[in-house]
Amino acid sequence: MTSMELPPQKQRSFEPTAEAQSGANISGMAAYRELASQAERDYEGFWAGLAREALEWRKPFGKVLDESNAPFYKWFEDGELNASYNCLDRHVAAGHGDRVAIVFEADDGTVTRVTYAQMLSRVSRLANALKRRGIQRGDRVVIYMPMSIEGIAAMQACARIGATHSVVFGGFSAKSLHERIVDVGAVAVITADEQVRGGKTLPLKQIADDALAMGGCDAVKTTIVYRRTGGYVAWRESRDCWLHEIVENEPDVCEPEWVGAEHPLFILYTSGSTGKPKGVQHSTAGYLLWAAQTMKWTFDWKREDVFWCTADIGWITGHTYIAYGPLALGATQVVFEGVPTYPNAGRFWKMIGDHRVSLFYTAPTAIRSLIKAAEADANVHPARHDLSSLRIIGTVGEPINPEAWMWYHRHVGGERCPVVDTWWQTETGGHMIAPMPGATPTVPGSCTLPLPGIMAAVVDETGQDVPDGQGGILVVKRPWPSMIRTVWGDPERFVKSYYPQELGGALYLAGDGAVRDKDTAYFTITGRIDDVLNVSGHRLGTMEIESALVAHELVAEAAVVGRPDETTGEAVVAFVVLKRARPQGEEAEQLAKALRDWVGKEIGPIAKPKEIRFGDNLPKTRSGKIMRRLLRSLAKGEAITQDTSTLENPDILNQLGQAR
Ligand code: WT7
């Protein structure tokens, strides 16, 4: 049963247990409602109060929200602060220098602990080293690193000196890395010799070398290399340096660069429905405020907690809930280098037990694959491990099907831990619609209610509210502090993508469909309404994959669609027309493999189509438009029930309908 076929929500609703409610940061629905109505009564006052409490300001802000150049909203603009100071110095100054900031577990199980005082010293030394190499406030630095203490320190060091970082996920190819280095105008790249995951290595430095050799990267004067494995790397003396060498003689004190609240803390690329990835630009103050606040609200974070978010720092989840949110609060967190299935699919459960994790945050795709593994092998079942330390368990990245939700609730949460299904995006900076675990009754498959201050709504194509119970387009009606500020280098694209005229120009368009329940007003996300796919919680543009395919010398045309997949949520299916006759049998197999590898090289392994079907043509209207709706049905193996009378070449459906 899919979430859309569920009976009315109240039938399967889980109240927070008395234990979850008592002593919660937000305890009971009345407390939630009070906050939400505070925000409605005095929007600016509400946010100003949170910003004063959650952050330490060098210079206090006067004006809260500036809407004069909408939709380029500004928050707390005349205030000054530093993100790294807020994440490190202030905890050390408050006497918490000995508290463990990071419990790092390497792929092979080796554990390293760093305290706040040690982290401050590491970050300061690296920040000094960056400055010594001429990197300044406003410069962009690309970080292409594995999950590591060094990766987080690199982000923090950039923040400390006012440089804007742009982290590129280690799974992206040289070509994708190159595209981002050029678009962001990086002056430096921080990378590692190799990445280690699941016992396998990936030569990050070599990929970075390849990217930098592709041309147009002359601005990159420095590459800094973290030695993770000691594997072979090619070296260019004039440009390359070892991280451990450049920090060696640096002082461990570095005065933070005080920046304005709107100073770009980072740019993170994400896929859109058209063309190349968008550089989502985030602010310093508004972003950090929400990273810290949602830790307290959605995860009910308290000082004794051990937090673990399994995301990679290459994605927004790893930015907000690893590199910034937990540190902004002085939390202790687990950081993991490896993968959930190595050395076996019990790794997550073992680590929760070993580190006494109390707040756990992962993706539905991981849960689904671990369910499969646990069903096949009792030895990797969560029941084999001590999960008694868990208090709250969360999910993010894609809709979670109610079955997976129930399994998570039962077998991981012991029917005692609230499950927080958090809806948000790269662009929103932090959680938007999510339960407050000490207040909100949860419902499998629903991310429940907007957090206080977040004015989410469901509208039709003209921007009018639709009645509850009826599906529509998910929007946010008011700007909020952690929202995207612009698309780097392309303000027009920012306006067109997120504040389209069709909706009146004043509503933030998320790109997801949603329905709000008639009785509970709970939101259920129904998936993307644009040409963006969500594969294992990773966002992929169909156009990006199509462009990669047609860049291959044999390909004449390609159309990419998503198909529901039990484990990965969606899977990529590509329909391809070659410049030569349609291949069959063995030849088709070989070509499909070659094209998959090609896409892996062009974009990264995450974008490889699961299935490639070859045809003599694609289904097109008489005006030449590809009918993707039909392709989606074919990919699912459904019979075509849609009207095909406008189709120029209806016969092609038979050919494409046959999986190889
Ligand atoms: C898209 C954003 C948010 C961090 C990770 C992904 C989908 C995200 C949920 C959820 C249903 C979800 C949406 C959204 N999504 N969380 N809890 N339920 N769908 O960030 O790469 O920017 O992707 O992921 O489609 O638009 P992202």
Side-chain angles (χ1 to χ4, degrees), residues 144 174 177 181 189 191 203-213:
Y144 186 62
L177 175 61
I181 291 171
V189 174
T191 185
L204 293 183
K205 167 67 161 70
Q206 191 198 306
I207 298 169
D209 284 345
D210 292 348
L212 290 168

Side-chain angles (χ1 to χ4, degrees), residues 338-403:
V339 298
T341 48
Y342 178 84
N344 60 55
R347 184 73 181 264
F348 276 4
W349 322 134
K350 178 174 186 325
M351 282 181 62
I352 289 171
D354 288 352
H355 301 300
R356 305 296 297 159
V357 171
S358 58
L359 311 174
F360 180 64
Y361 193 32
T362 196
T365 192
I367 297 168
R368 287 191 298 264
S369 74
L370 297 179
I371 294 175
K372 262 197 186 167
E375 281 170 355
D377 175 5
N379 285 316
V380 299
H381 197 279
R384 285 291 166 99
H385 296 276
D386 176 10
L387 305 184
S388 60
S389 56
L390 285 176
R391 203 159 75 72
I392 290 158
I393 56 178
T395 78
V396 59
E398 47 179 320
I400 179 162
N401 48 310
E403 295 73 16

